[in-house]
Amino acid sequence: MTTMIQTNRVVNCEGLACPMPVVKTKKAMEEIQSGEVLEVRATDKGSVADLQSWANRTGHQYIGLREENGVFRHFLRKASEQETKCETTYPHVVRNDELVEKLASGGKINVLDVREPAEYSFARIPGAVSIPIGELEERLGQLKQDQEYYVVCRTGTRSDMACQWLAERGFSKVKNVVPGMSGWQGATERDE
Amino acid sequence: MANKRVAIIASSAGLETAYKVLNIATAAAAMDAEVGIFFTFEGLSIIHKNSENMLQLKPENAGLAEGFQKANVPAIGQLLEIAKESGVRMIACQMTVDVMGLTKDDFIDGIELGGAAAFLDFSFDAQVTLNF
């Protein structure tokens, strides 16, 4: 059975040998928008090392790999310059280690994960709720203004934008978790 | 991340050489590197219009033909197209072209003719140089 992971585009490289998976990934990445997620399906065993190296070199995010019935499903997210600059402006921030402590002390903590579903699927803070930043507006009804929310993404940039946006809509107790999942040392869970 | 440069000399005969050269070249281009290949002596067969017939496996590698098919390795023509599309510079060595009595018309479209200095000018700024 194949696991459903929401992506913006799928590139089929099944049956193709090196260097085609890398070549096709490059081409597809040029055609999607920054922040969007690409799935590359390959049977070439070399693609496991190759696509991670490729992402590392080109600056895109390698989210994760799933192997299903001899097919390697690679998930990659197109980088945006804005994120790598890592500018945050929302004043209420909580460091990763502070959130780890709060989670350990028990009690109800609302963690809101604004990354893409594929990123959330591979590693998230246990109990975190997923609302990708692009869906925040339409799913605002799922959140309550008077609740405290710890908003997290990968590097603190998307969560910063989400915090500002929520604060403008009357959410007074939202906090940006910095740096976010890129430096997360606490427990994680993932889709099986 | 950009501004990586890969300079390759292709000087040997055979299908094996063609794959070594073009796989590295197209993968490097996919990693946003500038790539230049200098084709000289027997390596010129890779960009010859008749390359399909000229590029053969070495006799001792004849047994690999089946493996190439099974692994669905892309055809040389396909790799050349990818190389051109991704901006790989292909330079045919003018001197060897002259020595072999060939002209630019004997080669596929999109190649340049140049001498050693033209290729060296490109290579001086390369982080990776390879000779096949």
Side-chain angles (χ1 to χ4, degrees):
Chain A
M1 208 189 89
T2 34
T3 318
M4 272 300 297
I5 295 178
Q6 193 189 324
T7 56
N8 300 92
R9 177 123 180 224
V10 179
V11 181
N12 187 2
C13 300
E14 288 177 47
L16 298 181
C18 171
M20 297 314 292
V22 166
V23 168
K24 292 190 83 165
T25 300
K26 152 92 172 165
K27 210 165 184 178
M29 206 55 123
E30 280 170 359
E31 290 164 8
I32 66 171
Q33 304 293 317
S34 293
E36 290 190 333
V37 174
L38 181 71
E39 175 182 349
V40 181
R41 302 174 63 92
T43 45
D44 170 25
K45 293 188 193 77
S47 70
V48 175
D50 270 9
L51 284 173
Q52 291 187 44
S53 299
W54 178 84
N56 183 38
R57 175 56 62 181
T58 51
H60 299 295
Q61 177 191 354
Y62 189 88
I63 300 172
L65 169 72
R66 271 179 180 276
E67 192 186 342
E68 281 165 6
N69 310 319
V71 178
F72 299 101
R73 301 176 65 199
H74 304 269
F75 294 88
L76 301 106
R77 182 167 164 272
K78 182 163 180 167
S80 65
E81 284 185 19
Q82 194 188 17
E83 267 170 57
T84 43
K85 268 194 278 167
C86 218
E87 274 176 24
T88 52
T89 51
Y90 184 73
H92 306 293
V93 296
V94 166
R95 291 195 316 271
N96 280 9
D97 57 319
E98 292 174 315
L99 181 57
V100 170
E101 268 179 45
K102 276 185 204 296
L103 290 164
S105 67
K108 172 78 179 142
I109 305 271
N110 299 310
V111 178
L112 176 62
D113 190 325
V114 295
R115 296 175 300 160
E116 293 302 305
E119 298 174 88
Y120 175 85
S121 157
F122 277 97
R124 58 182 174 256
I125 298 168
V129 170
S130 167
I131 302 185
I133 190 158
E135 295 174 21
L136 207 48
E137 189 162 5
E138 59 186 275
R139 291 171 61 183
L140 192 60
Q142 297 173 18
L143 304 173
K144 295 194 180 68
Q145 281 183 336
D146 58 345
Q147 287 265 10
E148 191 169 48
Y149 289 102
Y150 292 88
V151 187
V152 67
C153 68
R154 183 168 62 110
T155 62
T157 306
R158 281 174 280 175
S159 52
D160 176 74
M161 283 159 56
C163 283
Q164 290 184 51
W165 192 84
L166 288 167
E168 283 165 16
R169 276 150 193 83
F171 287 74
S172 54
K173 291 194 269 188
V174 289
K175 294 193 170 51
N176 184 18
V177 182
V178 289
M181 298 312 289
S182 60
W184 186 251
Q185 306 273 333
T188 57
E189 62 177 19
R190 56 175 289 165
D191 289 353
E192 285 317 316
Chain B
M1 291 287 181
N3 299 325
K4 290 281 174 218
R5 200 173 256 204
V6 180
I8 304 172
I9 295 178
S11 61
S12 312
L15 193 59
E16 297 91 338
T17 305
Y19 275 112
K20 292 173 203 173
V21 169
L22 294 173
N23 275 32
I24 295 281
T26 51
M31 293 174 100
D32 295 332
E34 279 182 85
V35 185
I37 313 172
F38 190 62
F39 295 91
T40 184
F41 288 93
E42 286 93 336
L44 283 170
S45 55
I46 298 167
I47 49 170
H48 197 280
K49 275 182 180 158
N50 194 24
S51 66
E52 212 173 314
N53 295 320
M54 294 166 87
L55 296 171
Q56 301 295 333
L57 288 167
K58 285 186 203 149
E60 62 267 37
N61 282 340
L64 294 182
E66 197 186 335
F68 268 95
Q69 284 238 311
K70 226 170 122 188
N72 197 16
V73 172
I76 291 300
Q78 192 187 350
L79 289 172
L80 284 168
E81 277 308 310
I82 292 166
K84 277 197 271 182
E85 269 174 35
S86 48
V88 173
R89 280 182 67 188
M90 296 190 268
I91 307 166
C93 168
Q94 182 76 65
M95 185 273 278
T96 33
V97 168
D98 292 345
V99 167
M100 292 169 152
L102 300 167
T103 68
K104 197 171 182 189
D105 290 339
D106 292 305
F107 298 99
I108 59 170
D109 290 339
I111 64 132
E112 307 166 39
L113 284 166
F119 181 70
L120 284 168
D121 182 41
F122 178 86
S123 311
F124 283 135
D125 296 318
Q127 290 82 12
V128 178
T129 53
L130 300 163
N131 181 21
F132 292 103

